[in-house]
């Protein structure tokens, strides 16, 4: 492809007041309105005592940030993408980035909790009005994980040296919920200091995530999945109180090692993966392993009796090929294995429970998505402003996932970057006639039919709030 005219025959001018760059925001924000986002913010978020009227019109400010994030903004200054062309003719109440920055910096811990309440109820409304979690009334998986987000500047609150030497980070905790037939959505997020322990606050967070899953329609079997840093009595007790199952990687402590070595050789079952998976230790792709189970393993036996838990210990083992024999050397005298145990009360049979536990890695897709979008930066020096930014990203992520489910089967599974490219970052010219607005979009847009289906679904028939 090449430019069709000479440089002297081409000019540019930013002078058309009837253009918008993000026509896809029209159906997206219509969906947000009909699922009650503005109403929920007005009811729940009360920034009393904030200076400079920062707490006024919280609903307009939250929806402005959500719209900006939906369009791809990853900093407060980027929210200025909403203020161009005919955007004021299509949307009311767009706020300037300086106003939105002041609003975020006015948050306290209590205000962040109010925003969490909005997030939970907004997810429930999205799940009620869109096919966001198909099959949630039969089976749902709640995945918990933490991540580190590198930040810069010595004065940024909460930024500390943690797991990564010489790197200042903040340490968000997040929970996702998915079904066997859906992409994960975010059930909860929490911002924490950089050196916070992985499981700090996990029992309470797990309780809230499980309750949020119920609000989103997950009313039958719920299984919490987590890595070994969440293997503690508090997390499992939270699952038991909520009536949920658990499936948590244990790591290799001495008690686990003794239990594994007691498994007879004949009890190991062969398992083949439909697609190869990377080995956690070497990164090598493997497609075969063996699985065995100890049906009654008592965890936390050193704690008081009320905190001990007896459930299944399922172990997957793979051949240790990290040090293969070289030419001329004697081969191995006996096979060496690497073991990957997890503790669970999942009622499924052994091989199915093992496969379901490995799918916990789906939470990493959400983390990767976050760092490629609104969490590319944590934009403020104020800890609670960044906590609010994190929660607003979670609401935006869920809104875009719901948008995809209303569009097509492909977009229901697509990443948010793909949703923005196909559905949101599409230019349009505004035409006015008889107090009506018509969006004139590009001819032969590759995803025209998908966009039209989204627009029609979001606008007619009306979605009850």
């Amino acid at each position: 492809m090449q430019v069709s005219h000479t440089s002297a025959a081409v000019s540019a001018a930013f002078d058309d007041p009837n253009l918008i760059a993000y026509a896809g925001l029209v159906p997206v924000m219509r969906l947000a309105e009909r699922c009650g986002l503005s109403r929920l913010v007005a009811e729940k978020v009360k920034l009393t005592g904030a200076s400079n009227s920062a707490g006024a019109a919280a609903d307009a400010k939250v929806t402005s940030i959500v719209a900006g994030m939906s369009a791809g903004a990853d900093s407060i200054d980027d929210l200025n993408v909403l203020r161009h062309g005919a955007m004021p003719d299509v949307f009311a109440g767009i706020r300037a980035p300086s106003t939105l920055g002041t609003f975020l910096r006015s948050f306290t811990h209590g205000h962040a909790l109010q925003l969490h309440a909005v997030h939970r109820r907004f997810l429930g409304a999205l799940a009620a009005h869109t096919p966001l979690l198909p099959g949630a009334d039969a089976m749902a998986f709640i995945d918990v994980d933490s991540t580190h987000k590198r930040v810069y500047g010595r004065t940024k609150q909460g930024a500390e040296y943690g797991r990564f030497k010489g790197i200042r980070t903040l340490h968000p905790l997040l929970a996702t919920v998915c079904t066997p037939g859906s992409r994960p959505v975010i059930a909860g997020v929490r911002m924490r200091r950089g050196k916070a322990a992985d499981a700090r606050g996990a029992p309470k967070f797990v309780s809230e995530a499980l309750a949020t899953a119920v609000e989103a329609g997950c009313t039958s079997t719920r299984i919490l999945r987590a890595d070994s840093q969440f293997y503690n009595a508090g997390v499992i007790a939270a699952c038991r109180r909520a009536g949920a199952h658990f499936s948590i990687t244990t790591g290799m402590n001495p008690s686990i090692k003794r239990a594994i070595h007691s498994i007879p050789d004949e009890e190991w079952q062969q398992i083949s993966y439909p697609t190869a998976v990377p080995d956690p230790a070497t990164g090598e792709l493997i497609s075969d392993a063996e699985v065995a189970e100890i049906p009654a393993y008592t965890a936390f036996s050193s704690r008081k009796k009320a905190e001990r838990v007896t459930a299944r210990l399922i172990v997957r083992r793979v051949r240790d090929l990290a040090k293969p024999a070289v030419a001329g050397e004697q081969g191995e005298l006996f096979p060496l294995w690497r073991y990957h145990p997890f503790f669970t009360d999942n009622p499924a049979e052994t091989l199915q429970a093992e496969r379901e536990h490995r799918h916990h890695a789906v939470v990493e897709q959400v983390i990767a998505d976050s760092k490629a979008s609104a969490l590319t930066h944590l934009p403020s020096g104020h800890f609670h402003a960044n906590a609010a930014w994190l929660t607003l990203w979670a609401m935006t992520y869920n809104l875009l996932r719901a948008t995809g489910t209303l569009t097509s089967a492909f977009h229901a599974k697509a990443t948010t970057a793909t949703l923005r490219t196909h559905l949101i970052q599409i230019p349009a010219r505004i035409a006015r006639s008889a107090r009506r607005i018509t969006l004139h979009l590009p001819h032969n847009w590759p995803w025209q039919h998908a966009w039209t289906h989204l627009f029609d679904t979001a606008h007619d028939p009306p979605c009850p709030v």
Side-chain angles (χ1 to χ4, degrees), residues 287-303:
S287 58
D288 295 294
E290 295 181 355
V291 177
E293 175 183 346
I294 299 173
Y297 173 78
T298 300
F300 319 117
S301 56
S302 62
R303 304 175 71 97

Side-chain angles (χ1 to χ4, degrees), residues 416-428:
T416 56
T418 299
L419 294 176
R420 289 190 186 98
T421 300
H422 291 190
L423 305 175
I424 296 176
Q425 295 170 345
I426 173 173

Side-chain angles (χ1 to χ4, degrees), residues 30 42 51 86 88 100 129 136 159 201 214 240-241 246 273 278 281 289 297 303 390 413:
R30 177 70 68 182
S51 59
L100 300 176
H129 298 132
V214 173
R240 292 282 176 90
R241 287 193 299 270
F246 58 86
Y273 304 112
Y297 173 78
R303 304 175 71 97
L390 176 68
K413 298 292 183 73

Side-chain angles (χ1 to χ4, degrees), residues 259-273:
I260 291 174
H261 291 315
S262 70
I263 300 174
D265 287 339
E266 62 271 13
E267 291 190 10
W268 291 95
Q269 305 176 57
Q270 188 74 23
I271 183 172
S272 295
Y273 304 112

Side-chain angles (χ1 to χ4, degrees), residues 47-375:
L47 271 70
T48 55
S51 59
N52 299 324
S53 301
D59 52 342
K61 294 171 183 176
V62 165
T63 52
S64 293
I65 295 173
V66 168
M69 288 183 173
S70 298
D74 60 19
S75 68
I76 294 174
D77 284 344
D78 283 354
L79 296 173
N80 215 19
V81 298
L82 301 178
R83 306 175 75 210
H84 70 271
M87 288 290 282
D89 295 326
V90 182
F91 298 100
I94 299 175
R95 296 303 194 262
S98 58
T99 302
L100 300 176
T102 302
F103 171 67
L104 291 172
R105 289 188 293 272
S106 299
F107 270 71
T108 65
H109 176 66
H111 300 139
L113 294 180
Q114 294 172 0
L115 201 58
H116 293 160
V118 173
H119 167 260
R120 290 194 299 270
R121 286 160 178 78
F122 185 51
L123 174 59
L126 289 172
H129 298 132
T130 68
L132 188 61
L133 293 169
D137 56 348
M139 171 75 75
F141 299 98
I142 294 86
D143 297 300
V144 178
D145 205 352
S146 63
T147 185
H148 285 266
K149 182 67 191 77
R150 185 174 186 174
V151 296
Y152 301 89
R154 296 177 180 274
T155 61
K156 184 162 285 192
Q157 293 178 351
E160 297 170 335
Y161 297 120
R163 176 180 298 175
F164 303 102
K165 185 176 180 180
I167 297 177
R168 288 186 176 86
T169 66
L170 289 171
H171 192 179
L173 183 65
L174 73 159
T176 64
V177 56
C178 66
T179 65
S182 76
R183 291 264 302 191
V185 294
I186 300 173
V189 288
R190 290 293 182 276
M191 183 62 75
R192 303 180 302 172
R193 298 185 308 157
K195 67 179 181 181
D198 286 329
R200 180 180 176 85
K204 181 179 180 180
F205 183 71
V206 165
S207 296
E208 294 177 359
L210 292 171
T212 301
V214 173
E215 289 189 45
C218 305
T219 55
S220 185
T221 302
R222 292 167 295 151
I223 300 177
L224 179 104
R225 302 183 296 199
D227 288 334
S228 56
Q229 62 263 37
F230 299 99
Y231 175 63
N232 62 63
V235 169
I236 293 177
C239 293
R240 292 282 176 90
R241 287 193 299 270
H245 299 286
F246 58 86
S247 184
I248 304 176
T249 302
T250 66
M252 291 292 288
N253 62 45
S255 175
I256 296 291
K257 290 180 180 179
R258 288 193 299 270
I260 291 174
H261 291 315
S262 70
I263 300 174
D265 287 339
E266 62 271 13
E267 291 190 10
W268 291 95
Q269 305 176 57
Q270 188 74 23
I271 183 172
S272 295
Y273 304 112
T275 56
V277 297
D279 185 278
T282 66
E284 181 180 358
L285 293 177
I286 57 174
S287 58
D288 295 294
E290 295 181 355
V291 177
E293 175 183 346
I294 299 173
Y297 173 78
T298 300
F300 319 117
S301 56
S302 62
R303 304 175 71 97
K304 57 185 180 181
K305 187 174 181 180
E307 296 179 351
R308 298 173 189 171
V309 180
T310 299
R312 307 163 70 186
L313 182 68
I314 298 178
V315 187
R316 174 171 58 93
R317 69 179 186 180
V318 297
R319 293 291 296 273
D320 188 349
L321 302 178
K323 297 180 179 179
V326 298
E329 288 189 357
Q330 179 179 345
E332 62 181 10
L333 297 178
F334 51 85
L336 297 177
W337 302 92
R338 281 197 298 276
Y339 298 94
H340 308 282
F342 66 97
F343 189 54
T344 183
D345 63 352
N346 185 344
E349 58 91 22
T350 303
L351 296 184
Q352 180 183 345
E354 197 277 335
R355 285 191 294 269
E356 291 175 349
H357 179 76
R358 279 189 289 109
H359 290 165
H360 164 67
V362 73
V363 70
E364 298 294 342
Q365 298 176 3
V366 180
I367 293 173
D369 194 301
S370 73
K371 294 181 179 179
S373 56
L375 293 196

